[in-house]
Amino acid sequence: MPSFRRRENGSATARFPFLFLLAFFATASLLWSVSAISPAHAQTAETVEVTDLAGRTVRVKKGVQRMILGEGRQLYGLAVLERDNPFKRVVGWRDDLKVNDPDAWRKYRAKFPEAEKIADFGNPYTSDFSVEKVLALDADVVVLDLGNYFKAQESGTIAKLEKAGIPVVFIDWREDPSQNTVPSLILLGRIMDREKEALAFADFYLRQIRLVYTRVGNLKEKDRPLVFMERAAGYNPNNCCSTWGATNFGKFVEEAGGRNWGSRFFSSTSGGDVNVEKVIADDPDFYLMTGANWSEAIPSSTAAPMGYEATDEKVQASLKTLTARPGLSLLRAVREKHVMVLYHQFYNSPYSFVAVQAVAKMLHPDRFKDVDPQATWTELHAKFLPVETSGLFWATMK
């Protein structure tokens, strides 16, 4: 059993950080206006100066044409900005989209078969990362994930690329998605010369997340149900259970009007492993878990295969298996079928606001009678993405 450390309850503003995004928009708009007229921040016709999510000031070619993605799942953001072909500027990437979200990879590859030709760079956060390969592809920019900032520093990746004259920018929709998703999309929009698309998505994002805040933002603590959020349930069938602390899916629970069980014990992004006896003793009101189609990479996985190819039959069978693990039948949430599974990749995606809506509707159905997360998901695809929705991205146990 891990050594637990109790943390203080967060403030309302910490629980709903998107409120700060409104201030960010106002500030960003002002700064952009100033940069267009101030000699101190003047942009040349060829480059644009940006501040990335690591707080670094970086000058990047405006309208970059040749990008390297430190993570393949950064495609989720490019798809919003480059709907006609999100791959057309990508000359290199890591293979994590193919491994961790094969349904999405097949969905996009079917429409954009040229994606097969993109070079696989392996892990950019290791010391054997090939700068020579980046130079050979004549990349305009390398996009890395904020969660690996210190690894990129320690491995020398940032220094090597900067020495070679290749700009590096950090984005984030994993470390603090509630706070950093919109700034990350706007940053990409600036360097790709797709500001209009970035701002249109940001407007949609804020409108959808405000639907949640206006219904649960003033809930008292006693009216917030206790929720256990199991991370990657069944990814390792011999391990139960891992959870999130006060960030990522843990934060989604709090934004949705719940009390995240793990927030009392973990403050780090990843959370940690817990003893199932402790969860049983606390007997949460709801048991939520994340899942994805990991069966191709890990044949022993028993996770619910959430994604574009998921079917209700397969998901319900997985839920039955997962809730039959030792001890879980003792939970009131399982007996009362207060069980939900969500697409694990929401934890590293700009679409996480839909997960917040889905959780909020489950926790507080009376307050969300007029909100339809499935309609939001469908609208997201219709207005912003190049592929149509299919499969299942969340489901409750029947």
Side-chain angles (χ1 to χ4, degrees):
M1 186 170 176
S3 175
F4 290 140
R5 180 165 61 86
R6 190 172 293 274
R7 63 187 292 275
E8 297 299 323
N9 290 329
S11 66
T13 49
R15 182 173 283 146
F16 302 101
F18 68 88
L19 290 174
F20 292 111
L21 291 176
L22 299 175
F24 169 83
F25 269 130
T27 304
S29 299
L30 177 60
L31 288 175
W32 290 348
S33 299
V34 170
S35 70
I37 59 175
S38 169
H41 297 84
Q43 300 169 2
T44 70
E46 293 79 25
T47 64
V48 58
E49 185 177 282
V50 297
T51 300
D52 71 4
L53 272 292
R56 302 162 57 253
T57 301
V58 186
R59 185 165 287 278
V60 185
K61 177 181 177 181
K62 186 172 175 62
V64 293
Q65 296 299 317
R66 302 182 66 81
M67 304 173 70
I68 288 178
L69 306 182
E71 291 199 8
R73 284 171 290 181
Q74 290 169 343
L75 177 79
Y76 302 145
L78 265 63
V80 170
L81 302 174
E82 199 87 270
R83 191 178 180 190
D84 61 328
N85 185 352
F87 298 97
K88 73 179 183 184
R89 306 187 201 212
V90 183
V91 295
W93 64 354
R94 192 178 177 184
D95 68 352
D96 56 287
L97 178 71
K98 301 176 184 177
V99 173
N100 295 313
D101 195 1
D103 295 15
W105 165 238
R106 283 190 284 269
K107 185 94 170 176
Y108 275 87
R109 185 184 58 184
K111 186 164 185 176
F112 306 103
E114 65 272 27
E116 285 276 18
K117 300 176 183 177
I118 297 174
D120 178 4
F121 264 79
N123 189 340
Y125 310 111
T126 58
S127 57
D128 58 354
F129 178 69
S130 174
V131 174
E132 290 73 21
K133 205 170 180 179
V134 176
L135 289 170
L137 286 173
D138 193 25
D140 295 325
V141 66
V142 176
V143 182
L144 297 181
D145 174 65
L146 181 65
N148 288 303
Y149 172 72
F150 294 108
K151 287 183 180 177
Q153 269 195 326
E154 293 164 3
S155 66
T157 297
I158 300 175
K160 291 176 187 175
L161 290 170
E162 288 180 341
K163 187 177 180 180
I166 301 171
V168 178
V169 296
F170 285 86
I171 64 170
D172 176 52
W173 36 72
R174 178 165 58 192
E175 287 291 291
D176 191 351
S178 302
Q179 184 82 5
N180 292 340
T181 292
V182 168
S184 294
L185 259 296
I186 290 176
L187 169 63
L188 289 175
R190 293 190 68 197
I191 68 174
M192 295 171 66
D193 205 13
R194 286 287 186 271
E195 292 96 332
K196 179 181 176 183
E197 289 78 3
L199 289 174
F201 176 82
D203 184 62
F204 181 70
Y205 177 103
L206 289 175
R207 189 165 64 250
Q208 297 303 328
I209 207 71
R210 282 180 66 86
L211 287 178
V212 179
Y213 172 73
T214 53
R215 287 162 174 78
V216 300
N218 64 346
L219 280 179
K220 296 178 180 177
E221 205 68 9
K222 66 180 181 60
D223 296 323
R224 295 175 174 271
L226 182 63
V227 179
F228 181 78
M229 172 62 77
E230 184 178 354
R231 179 187 179 121
Y235 180 87
N236 179 352
N238 299 315
N239 177 53
C240 182
C241 304
S242 177
T243 192
W244 271 278
T247 58
N248 207 283
F249 262 100
K251 177 68 75 177
F252 300 163
V253 167
E254 293 173 357
E255 290 175 352
R259 286 180 292 132
N260 179 49
W261 184 91
S263 297
R264 296 179 296 167
F265 308 118
F266 301 105
S267 58
S268 69
T269 298
S270 297
D273 290 338
V274 300
N275 191 314
V276 69
E277 283 77 13
K278 173 61 177 170
V279 181
I280 294 170
D282 288 346
D283 202 19
D285 300 298
F286 290 86
Y287 195 98
L288 275 54
M289 55 186 95
T290 65
N293 181 7
W294 293 305
S295 61
E296 296 168 37
I298 304 174
S300 62
S301 169
T302 58
M306 311 310 291
Y308 284 107
E309 297 174 6
T311 65
D312 186 60
E313 182 181 5
K314 290 182 178 178
V315 170
Q316 290 299 324
S318 295
L319 287 174
K320 187 175 181 180
T321 298
L322 292 168
T323 53
R325 289 173 292 173
L328 295 192
S329 64
L330 298 173
L331 292 170
R332 178 169 46 88
V334 172
R335 294 196 305 272
E336 296 177 356
K337 296 187 177 180
H338 288 172
V339 177
M340 171 182 267
V341 61
L342 298 114
Y343 175 57
H344 181 80
Q345 309 306 338
F346 277 134
Y347 94 111
N348 190 18
S349 160
Y351 321 146
S352 58
F353 62 95
V354 187
V356 176
Q357 275 194 7
V359 173
K361 190 174 180 74
M362 181 173 192
L363 302 187
H364 303 285
D366 291 341
R367 291 174 179 260
F368 287 87
K369 289 179 179 176
D370 61 331
V371 177
D372 182 356
Q374 185 59 49
T376 302
W377 184 242
T378 301
E379 185 178 1
L380 168 68
H381 282 72
K383 289 185 175 177
F384 297 98
L385 300 181
V387 296
E388 296 179 355
T389 186
S390 61
L392 282 175
F393 290 80
W394 61 90
T396 55
M397 188 170 74
K398 296 178 180 175

